[in-house]
Amino acid sequence: MKRTALVISMCLTAILLVVFAISPCLAQERYPEKPIEAIVGYAGGATTDVAARIIAEYMSRDLKQPVVILNKPGGRGAIAGNELFKRKPDGYTMGMFNLNAYPEHVADPQRYMYKAADMVAVAQWSRQPCALFTRYD
């Protein structure tokens, strides 16, 4: 009798531990619960802006929340990068930049409020090959 009560008590304790262990996961809010803002370091109509808008459309559809583009042109992305760095890291603001300005973090760090190591790229969404052209003649 005592042994059965002990086994039942241990089983109930194990069940309660499992319930309490997973309850924080169940209490978390669904992400995203509000629109996401994408800061683009170039003017509307620029290649980066057009690509960002296409990606934002797909993200909006998949996440069931709008992804709003905020253009902050100037300084080869420095203004947009500084704006992103000032924002609260809550998962509702992201930056969409060209990596061609990345070497400027080293060459001209006073333009930036942050170091290159303060942010991380999470996805590469295009490749933009460049070439120098001149007239043939």
Side-chain angles (χ1 to χ4, degrees):
M1 181 78 172
K2 288 183 182 183
R3 186 175 185 155
T4 305
L6 180 63
V7 169
I8 291 173
S9 175
M10 289 175 60
C11 288
L12 287 174
T13 302
I15 290 170
L16 286 174
L17 285 173
V18 169
V19 168
F20 286 122
I22 65 169
S23 62
C25 297
L26 299 174
Q28 291 180 358
E29 56 187 51
R30 186 180 164 278
Y31 177 84
E33 293 230 329
K34 61 182 183 178
I36 296 171
E37 193 169 54
I39 300 173
V40 176
Y42 297 89
T47 306
T48 305
D49 174 69
V50 172
R53 289 178 189 280
I54 292 168
I55 292 165
E57 183 179 328
Y58 283 97
M59 287 178 68
S60 295
R61 192 175 347 161
D62 291 345
L63 296 173
K64 312 255 187 298
Q65 282 289 346
V67 176
V68 180
I69 301 294
L70 174 63
N71 296 92
K72 291 285 188 177
R76 289 181 42 127
I79 293 172
N82 288 339
E83 179 68 26
L84 178 62
F85 185 70
K86 288 189 285 187
R87 299 293 183 94
K88 186 169 87 172
D90 61 359
Y92 287 95
T93 307
M94 63 182 173
M96 298 177 128
F97 308 112
N98 282 346
L99 293 180
N100 63 354
Y102 185 80
E104 290 185 16
H105 284 90
V106 177
D108 193 9
Q110 64 271 13
R111 287 183 13 183
Y112 299 90
M113 298 171 64
Y114 60 96
K115 296 185 222 66
D118 290 336
M119 294 188 199
V120 62
V122 294
Q124 179 180 349
W125 44 274
S126 74
R127 292 187 182 179
Q128 299 176 346
C130 298
L132 178 63
F133 288 89
T134 186
R135 287 177 44 154
Y136 184 72
D137 59 349

